[in-house]
Amino acid sequence: MTLPVPAQSTPGTGEQSANQSALPPPGSDPEWFKRAVFYEVLVRGFADSNADGIGDLRGMLGKLDYLQWLGVDCLWLPPFFASPLRDGGYDVSDYTAVLPEFGDIEDFKELIGASHSRGMRMIIDFVMNHTSDQHPWFQASRSDPDGPYGDFYVWADDDTGYADARIIFVDTESSNWTFDPVRKQYFWHRFFSHQPDLNFENPKVQEAIIDALRFWLDLGIDGFRLDAVPYLFEEEGTNCENLPRTHEFLKKVRKIVDAEYPDRVLLCEANQWPADVVEYFGENGDECQMAFHFPVMPRLFMAVRREQRFPISEIMAQTPDIPDNCQWGVFLRNHDELTLEMVTDEERDYMWGEYAKDPRMKANIGIRRRLAPLLDNDIDTLELFTALLLSLPGSPVMYYGDEIGMGDNIWLGDRDGVRTPMQWTPDRNGGFSTADPQRMHLPLVADPEYGFQVTNVEAQLRNSNSMLNWIRTMISVRKQHPTFGVGSYAEIGSRNPTVLSFVREFGDDVVLCVNNLSRFPQPVELDLRRFEGYTPVELTGRVQFPQIGVLPYMLTLGGHGFYWFELSKPAAPAVEEEEEDWETTASSSVAQSLLEAGVVGPADSSSGSGGLGAEAPTNPTHGES
Ligand code: GLC
Ligand code: CA
């Protein structure tokens, strides 16, 4: 068995001279995504480089050192394309243009180059199902039904078709059809009524979408998160989701990507049951390499609140095997509501009752809150959730701000409450922007508990016990054990239903994870006879635990406590004293240099604290060159 470790990159062979890629040579690491830690970051919400109150690409450029320090392997950028921004940019009005307030294509190229030079990859969102009604294709389609774009959308004379398709945005929409007064026909839309669905039956639509994908792939991106793909095709008498022709189209996309663009990944957003999601991997792994595991996410919240492992055990047991070249994407929170579509009615009521006590916290079929407030800012619970995120099968996808336990603002509309600006410092606008605070595209969280004055990167860099430093340590521990990314998963039962234990195994790399889902201390006895003679070594402190024998292996855990053990055979080498605090030392010295380099300061170039050191952009204000 070989470790899926990339070949060494040979310096001096890439085209970018200023930004030499630190990634392995193209084609040598097609399964990089299996080991990667992903980080979702909104361009609009991360850092503002030109003091207009809106985060932008150059602002993000100034924060790449921070992301590299954290241990991020791949950024995921939600849409930053031209858009009227009525759905956070998921309403695209030009697939190949950058929204001017975010910067331009040159900025984007620079961002890609700078990420690659730090060994970080980048995937971007691609919304193929629908466009904004402001897209020129739709404008042409509605005004000229017989013209070249007449058939680009799904039009009908009445609103009775496809009646079995559910409505997704139940808070705002009452039908999937909307009457267009210009064309005097109804158009089909699975989401907002300002987001008409493209007509994938039309080969011209397929071509146009593939052209747009190529445009971004040619710029060097490492793949796509494919937004809302279950809905590409419609068919009378079905629920219009996951249809065979949708899979056919995605397979066609994958063929093109594989043939022309090595090492790129397709990550599918299909909010479906495991049995339906696995179809997006293709029978032979010939569709998307990755898919989000939607059903497991709410069950983590359920299991911990109920103090019982069964919600997690059951969904893991129901999760089918996936092809060898594929990987799940695991997440706790993202830019959307915590969706409750993949639970039963009873479970949904339970989740709403427990996690959305104020009706303002609900959105559509879900809960619009961030991780820390969902967990009442309890550090033990936050660490337990993060440990699960980093140890369950799949690649973890973190959401910006959750690494410092950012809060949310339920008084903002739609899902904006979980999309507020990143909190870097206790300074004006949390170090996100030097603009007039009244000009912020969204207000900073400013409540007494989660406000930027207390919850910010700078404060947490200083404290070696902070959530931020802890997460960084856990990410680096994860990276020392490929089994977390590629190993098998086997649950180990026990008579204590509050404890979830599992073994991840990849050749000799064997890790045992034991999680106490209860807030009270718990004992657990595990049947580890298969590992008789092995010695568990706890992964954060490298402390050896008693050797495993034939008797049940007894452990005790603090409330919401967890262990990650390496199971080493026959006996682990003695712990060396001086290694004791290697992580704290390493982490705090880099933290200190980040503080000194001003990486956590405002991204505004005029303040001289872009934070990139030698690689700081010389002209960070976009649109001036
Ligand atoms: C996806 C996005 C969501 C968006 C929707 C419609 O579900 O995650 O933010 O509103 O697609 O485009
Ligand atoms: Ca800006």
Side-chain angles (χ1 to χ4, degrees):
M1 197 173 291
T2 48
L3 287 185
V5 193
Q8 275 302 304
S9 69
T10 22
T13 51
E15 315 99 282
Q16 300 138 339
S17 44
N19 278 317
Q20 182 62 57
S21 173
L23 296 172
S28 64
D29 192 14
E31 296 187 0
W32 60 269
F33 55 86
K34 287 193 182 176
R35 306 176 314 267
V37 172
F38 289 74
Y39 185 93
E40 177 186 10
V41 53
L42 304 181
V43 174
R44 196 148 71 127
F46 209 51
D48 171 19
S49 73
N50 62 347
D52 63 357
I54 300 165
D56 43 57
L57 294 169
R58 302 212 69 94
M60 193 172 293
L61 191 64
K63 301 301 185 188
L64 292 181
D65 283 347
Y66 165 77
L67 297 170
Q68 184 186 16
W69 169 83
L70 185 58
V72 170
D73 299 299
C74 183
L75 305 176
W76 152 27
L77 270 56
F80 51 87
F81 315 118
S83 163
L85 296 183
R86 295 180 66 194
D87 180 18
Y90 285 87
D91 47 335
V92 178
S93 59
D94 184 344
Y95 281 115
T96 57
V98 172
L99 183 73
E101 58 207 48
F102 293 169
D104 57 26
I105 290 285
E106 291 308 312
D107 295 331
F108 183 73
K109 285 191 199 162
E110 200 171 324
L111 184 65
I112 293 248
S115 305
H116 286 174
S117 74
R118 284 166 179 75
M120 287 190 291
R121 304 192 191 245
M122 184 190 291
I123 62 169
I124 65 173
D125 238 297
F126 198 89
V127 193
M128 27 171 94
N129 180 64
H130 46 267
T131 69
S132 157
D133 59 7
Q134 301 306 303
H135 197 294
W137 297 344
F138 186 74
Q139 293 301 325
S141 195
R142 74 199 306 201
S143 56
D144 185 6
D146 300 319
Y149 296 96
D151 208 15
F152 256 52
Y153 294 85
V154 182
W155 295 99
D157 293 329
D158 57 48
D159 61 358
T160 57
Y162 310 134
D164 297 332
R166 71 189 161 118
I167 291 165
I168 296 168
F169 284 167
V170 290
D171 285 358
T172 41
E173 305 301 328
S174 51
S175 167
N176 286 326
W177 291 105
T178 289
F179 184 73
D180 177 46
V182 178
R183 178 152 160 167
K184 303 204 164 43
Q185 270 190 313
Y186 291 85
F187 64 87
W188 176 250
H189 56 87
R190 290 309 300 269
F191 294 92
F192 287 121
S193 55
H194 55 75
Q195 280 168 327
D197 274 34
L198 283 162
N199 174 20
F200 275 82
E201 313 255 347
N202 181 348
K204 294 242 160 56
V205 167
Q206 300 195 13
E207 271 168 45
I209 288 298
I210 290 170
D211 284 349
L213 294 171
R214 279 206 178 94
F215 174 85
W216 294 104
L217 290 163
D218 284 337
L219 292 181
I221 58 148
D222 298 284
F224 296 104
R225 173 210 187 244
L226 296 178
D227 178 74
V229 281
Y231 321 105
L232 301 186
F233 282 82
E234 296 77 35
E235 212 166 285
E236 207 50 77
T238 74
N239 66 359
C240 298
E241 302 186 10
N242 316 318
L243 297 179
R245 281 184 301 165
T246 292
H247 288 294
E248 233 169 79
F249 177 70
L250 292 173
K251 286 195 169 81
K252 176 169 155 188
V253 168
R254 172 67 181 278
K255 264 213 178 96
I256 293 172
V257 171
D258 276 358
E260 299 171 29
Y261 304 97
D263 296 353
R264 317 297 173 95
V265 71
L266 301 177
L267 163 55
C268 140
E269 188 221 13
N271 188 356
Q272 305 281 332
W273 291 97
D276 293 320
V277 183
V278 289
E279 294 194 8
Y280 288 88
F281 293 121
E283 303 76 41
N284 315 304
D286 55 355
E287 211 168 302
C288 299
Q289 295 99 320
M290 288 186 72
F292 286 111
H293 200 317
F294 273 94
V296 83
M297 183 270 299
R299 284 174 178 80
L300 300 177
F301 290 90
M302 236 146 47
V304 171
R305 198 49 71 95
R306 285 188 171 151
E307 309 201 339
Q308 289 201 344
R309 67 168 175 267
F310 298 112
I312 303 174
S313 308
E314 276 167 16
I315 205 71
M316 292 312 294
Q318 277 176 37
T319 301
D321 286 340
I322 61 177
D324 271 352
N325 58 340
C326 293
Q327 176 73 312
W328 289 108
V330 194
F331 65 103
L332 299 172
R333 296 298 313 109
N334 60 23
H335 66 287
D336 286 327
E337 71 275 25
L338 189 171
T339 61
L340 297 173
E341 276 142 332
M342 296 303 121
V343 298
T344 63
D345 292 350
E346 205 182 310
E347 291 168 334
R348 192 172 307 126
D349 287 340
Y350 177 78
M351 285 291 289
W352 270 329
E354 290 295 320
Y355 290 106
K357 298 213 152 75
D358 185 321
R360 292 196 68 90
M361 294 169 179
K362 292 189 190 176
N364 297 313
I365 314 286
I367 302 170
R368 45 183 200 148
R369 297 185 77 192
R370 265 191 182 265
L371 184 64
L374 278 166
L375 305 181
D376 294 322
N377 215 8
D378 177 67
I379 189 71
D380 294 332
T381 321
L382 281 163
E383 291 187 355
L384 174 66
F385 269 78
T386 308
L388 287 165
L389 171 73
L390 293 175
S391 61
L392 282 169
S395 292
V397 185
M398 304 193 302
Y399 184 50
Y400 85 98
D402 283 350
E403 74 272 25
I404 55 169
M406 251 171 74
D408 51 35
N409 181 350
I410 58 169
W411 302 98
L412 298 176
D414 195 6
R415 289 150 289 173
D416 281 346
V418 302
R419 301 173 180 180
T420 60
M422 180 70 177
Q423 299 172 191
W424 297 100
T425 71
D427 304 335
R428 174 201 285 221
N429 304 319
F432 162 80
S433 167
T434 53
D436 182 333
Q438 307 197 120
R439 203 178 160 184
M440 287 301 99
H441 76 280
L442 287 175
L444 271 283
V445 170
D447 66 49
E449 192 177 4
Y450 302 97
F452 62 86
Q453 297 87 345
V454 279
T455 300
N456 60 68
V457 173
E458 182 181 345
Q460 297 203 18
L461 281 175
R462 283 190 186 202
N463 179 350
S464 58
N465 282 318
S466 64
M467 168 114 175
L468 178 62
N469 273 309
W470 179 86
I471 287 184
R472 177 172 179 272
T473 302
M474 297 311 282
I475 290 175
S476 84
V477 169
R478 178 187 157 100
K479 287 188 179 175
Q480 291 156 27
H481 293 273
T483 192
F484 282 116
V486 296
S488 60
Y489 170 89
E491 192 173 322
I492 307 217
S494 76
R495 273 185 307 186
N496 186 340
T498 68
V499 178
L500 173 76
S501 313
F502 51 86
V503 171
R504 306 293 317 272
E505 210 169 338
F506 178 68
D508 289 342
D509 189 16
V510 184
V511 168
L512 165 69
C513 303
V514 187
N515 303 280
N516 177 10
L517 309 179
S518 155
R519 76 212 121 121
F520 303 114
Q522 298 284 341
V524 68
E525 287 186 340
L526 298 172
D527 180 353
L528 297 178
R529 274 174 295 177
R530 193 158 83 74
F531 300 104
E532 191 193 336
Y534 283 61
T535 301
V537 180
E538 199 280 327
L539 283 182
T540 58
R542 310 278 328 158
V543 172
Q544 290 186 22
F545 275 53
Q547 211 179 44
I548 298 167
V550 286
L551 296 177
Y553 197 81
M554 163 94 174
L555 288 166
T556 53
L557 298 109
H560 290 144
F562 74 93
Y563 297 121
W564 287 359
F565 294 113
E566 168 188 305
L567 298 187
S568 53
K569 199 192 178 183
V575 186
E576 286 167 37
E577 284 299 310
E578 61 271 25
E579 279 184 33
E580 214 173 275
D581 57 358
W582 62 274
E583 193 49 60
T584 331
T585 321
S587 133
S588 49
S589 64
V590 186
Q592 188 54 37
S593 59
L594 280 174
L595 281 169
E596 279 160 11
V599 160
V600 296
D604 181 8
S605 58
S606 60
S607 72
S609 52
L612 262 182
E615 294 181 76
T618 44
N619 178 16
T621 321
H622 68 255
E624 284 184 4
S625 44

